[in-house]
Amino acid sequence: MPFEHIRKNTRFLQYIAAAWVGILQLSLYANLVWGTPTLPKLLSEDSPIGRPLNYEEASWVMSSLSLGMIIGGILLGIFLDILGSKCILLIGAVFTVISWTILGTAKSFAALVAGRIVAGVGDGIAVMCIHIYLCEIGSKDIRGKLGVIPMVGGISGVLLMYGGGPYLTYTTLIICSVIFPLIFIISFPFMPNSPYFLMKKNQCKDAELCLRRLACSATTRSEIESMLEEIEGTLKRDSRGKHLLSLVFDVRFGKSLLIIVGAQSIGILSGLGFIPPYFQIILKTADSSLPTELITVIFGIAQIPSLCLCGLLVDKIGRKWMLGISSFGSGITLMLCGTYFYLNGIYKLNTVKFLPVVFLIAYQLFLSVGLCYVPNLIVGELFTTRTKKIGGPTVTCISSVLVFVTVKICGSVFESWGLYTLFWAFACASFLGVFFAMYVLPETKGKSFEDIQKTLLSSNSIKTSDMDSKNPVI
């Protein structure tokens, strides 16, 4: 029967683990957009800390998250190889709980900054590690789909902030937010560990049991043994070389690092680091006639259909096309939005005040198709099991510095520069992403980790290649 065939060939536990990781990503994304509903309250006369923040202090509160992410990235590099991605995710959840506790009891500007830094440590540890974990437990033909699932959890965190933030009190919103990482800490220990980490620790029996849990019920013993041999071969290849620092000079590591940093930078400079946390401030500047609370919720919901579309297509048409389409669409909408703000400053376009809302929602739709997802996905795909502990933290630190600089500068001077200048600059970065996707980003859909490394080593690694792997699938 068709249903029986589906039941035997569906890798349920992989999807369940991805959904469970989404519980953590919900809180991590809530951290990122916490300022959208909270910043207006902190700037008001009845601020929850007892006095209103000024714009300079507000920019520090928003950008200090990135400083914490740098610390988190360093901790990830130190402990990833020792503890494994599963344990690292639990540690990230602990930091997230601590950060919400600090923010919930904060009565000063310094306490807000401290809470945001601790939140950044949790994000820096966990954000990259989520994709490392999913790529290591996931089958090569569904890695893209698995990575989209926790993104839906992340969007739920965004909607919690966007939908509940304007109506809930400051303290109630934080209490609602801290529940989810607590649930994750209690329940995630029952999820499977990475078979790559278990094999690396010479826990071969545990790795085999883990593969059996992750594989579909129709998988034979010989296929499980082939998977173990593939993992063992990958680990042996990655362990070549006497010193870890020698990997820095490896051609494949250099290419991987440049590609991932390039993709991350384009995403951040396309407005991803600035627009979500300052969304309500942007709406007030636009003087929209629609309620800002309603627009903010629609802005968050707009990501859901885009992510669903991304989940359906990312393993079919590939990472290159998803990033290219996302970059082009984001660039067009940002350019139009910047043009509106420029013309509105001259002609006062009172009859079309709805236009920036339309452009921003369209921007969110295009952004979620690729720019906010593919750069994180390829962290788990391009780095080897050994270089992840160098590459992942390096990418986290570089990206965090870039986010800090972007949010700090844009948050401090957007009134003097004009929003149109910022939006046009973001649009230029988005259009650059189209060329990056087509000519730099390697295609990784359907490939084993070994095939990806061979692609990076080849002279035409930046071209589109779609070679099929003969290695078995979990």
Side-chain angles (χ1 to χ4, degrees):
M1 295 177 63
F3 178 78
E4 184 69 16
H5 174 77
I6 293 172
R7 186 185 68 79
K8 288 185 176 181
N9 291 276
T10 302
R11 290 146 286 190
F12 290 108
L13 188 57
Q14 295 185 36
Y15 289 102
I16 292 172
W20 230 253
V21 171
I23 297 174
L24 176 60
Q25 188 137 337
L26 183 153
S27 194
L28 299 180
Y29 271 44
N31 283 335
L32 295 175
V33 299
W34 174 78
T36 298
T38 307
L39 196 55
K41 297 177 182 178
L42 294 171
L43 293 169
S44 66
E45 290 298 327
D46 56 345
S47 172
I49 66 169
R51 69 168 182 85
L53 297 178
N54 57 46
Y55 273 97
E56 179 64 21
E57 289 174 330
S59 69
W60 273 108
V61 171
M62 294 299 101
S63 59
S64 56
L65 181 79
S66 303
L67 296 178
M69 290 184 71
I70 297 173
I71 301 172
I74 295 171
L75 293 176
L76 175 63
I78 295 172
F79 294 108
L80 178 60
D81 215 29
I82 300 172
L83 302 176
S85 54
K86 179 182 175 180
C87 188
I88 291 293
L89 291 176
L90 288 167
I91 294 172
V94 171
F95 274 100
T96 303
V97 170
I98 295 172
S99 71
W100 287 125
T101 304
I102 296 173
L103 291 172
T105 57
K107 293 300 178 183
S108 66
F109 164 67
L112 289 174
V113 172
R116 294 289 285 169
I117 289 175
V118 174
V121 174
D123 280 19
I125 289 175
V127 167
M128 292 293 177
C129 201
I130 284 174
H131 297 280
I132 292 174
Y133 173 75
L134 291 179
C135 284
E136 290 185 350
I137 69 164
S139 304
K140 62 187 177 184
D141 60 322
I142 61 170
R143 280 198 306 258
K145 295 177 184 177
L146 292 178
V148 170
I149 293 173
M151 292 286 291
V152 176
I155 300 310
S156 302
V158 172
L159 291 176
L160 171 64
M161 289 294 156
Y162 285 172
Y167 305 104
L168 298 176
T169 65
Y170 177 88
T171 303
T172 304
L173 181 63
I174 288 180
I175 291 173
C176 293
S177 301
V178 79
I179 291 172
F180 295 98
L182 286 173
I183 293 173
F184 181 82
I185 291 170
I186 295 170
S187 60
F188 192 65
F190 299 100
M191 290 295 108
N193 209 331
S194 162
Y196 284 87
F197 174 73
L198 294 173
M199 286 290 287
K200 191 184 297 184
K201 296 299 181 181
N202 294 319
Q203 300 176 22
C204 300
K205 290 290 184 181
D206 291 339
E208 181 178 353
L209 291 173
C210 183
L211 281 175
R212 289 189 179 280
R213 292 180 66 199
L214 290 167
C216 58
S217 60
T219 306
T220 63
R221 181 177 180 82
S222 61
E223 288 174 328
I224 294 290
E225 291 175 352
S226 297
M227 296 173 200
L228 288 170
E229 290 175 2
E230 179 185 342
I231 293 173
E232 186 177 7
T234 300
L235 292 174
K236 283 182 178 178
R237 186 199 68 237
D238 293 345
S239 63
R240 292 171 187 169
K242 297 180 179 179
H243 302 290
L244 187 62
L245 289 177
S246 65
L247 294 173
V248 175
F249 303 101
D250 185 87
V251 174
R252 291 168 297 182
F253 174 72
K255 284 185 177 180
S256 300
L257 184 62
L258 289 174
I259 290 168
I260 295 171
V261 169
Q264 293 275 340
S265 300
I266 288 170
I268 293 167
L269 295 176
S270 295
L272 186 58
F274 174 78
I275 293 176
Y278 282 90
F279 186 66
Q280 287 200 4
I281 304 299
I282 293 171
L283 289 179
K284 288 184 178 181
T285 305
D287 194 25
S288 173
S289 57
L290 298 174
T292 57
E293 294 82 4
L294 175 63
I295 299 171
T296 305
V297 172
I298 296 173
F299 184 74
I301 293 175
Q303 298 179 75
I304 296 177
S306 295
L307 283 174
C308 293
L309 182 64
C310 182
L312 292 172
L313 298 179
V314 70
D315 285 318
K316 293 182 179 180
I317 70 174
R319 284 60 161 157
K320 294 170 71 70
W321 279 102
M322 298 305 292
L323 185 64
I325 293 169
S326 176
S327 299
F328 182 76
S330 298
I332 293 294
T333 53
L334 287 167
M335 186 66 70
L336 291 173
C337 202
T339 302
Y340 170 86
F341 282 117
Y342 176 76
L343 294 176
N344 187 53
I346 301 174
Y347 301 109
K348 299 298 179 185
L349 307 176
N350 294 326
T351 57
V352 288
K353 286 184 177 181
F354 64 90
L355 279 180
V357 175
V358 173
F359 295 148
L360 285 169
I361 292 174
Y363 161 77
Q364 184 77 318
L365 286 168
F366 281 109
L367 187 78
S368 301
V369 170
L371 270 172
C372 69
Y373 172 59
V374 172
N376 290 327
L377 172 63
I378 59 176
V379 172
E381 293 185 323
L382 296 187
F383 287 134
T384 67
T385 54
R386 195 179 185 201
T387 58
K388 283 171 185 174
K389 64 181 177 182
I390 299 178
T394 302
V395 172
T396 299
C397 291
I398 294 174
S399 300
S400 300
V401 169
L402 189 57
V403 170
F404 173 78
V405 172
T406 302
V407 175
K408 185 68 181 71
I409 291 177
C410 295
S412 298
V413 302
F414 79 87
E415 287 184 311
S416 57
W417 284 7
L419 272 176
Y420 62 89
T421 305
L422 295 180
F423 276 97
W424 285 343
F426 295 152
C428 291
S430 295
F431 288 131
L432 180 62
V434 178
F435 294 96
F436 181 89
M438 294 298 104
Y439 299 106
V440 178
L441 182 70
E443 187 53 76
T444 58
K445 74 178 179 74
K447 295 181 182 178
S448 66
F449 293 143
E450 185 174 357
D451 289 336
I452 292 171
Q453 293 305 309
K454 288 178 181 177
T455 302
L456 289 170
L457 192 59
S458 64
S459 58
N460 63 339
S461 62
I462 61 174
K463 297 180 182 179
T464 304
S465 68
D466 201 15
M467 61 183 189
D468 297 321
S469 174
K470 296 181 181 179
N471 293 315
V473 180
I474 294 178

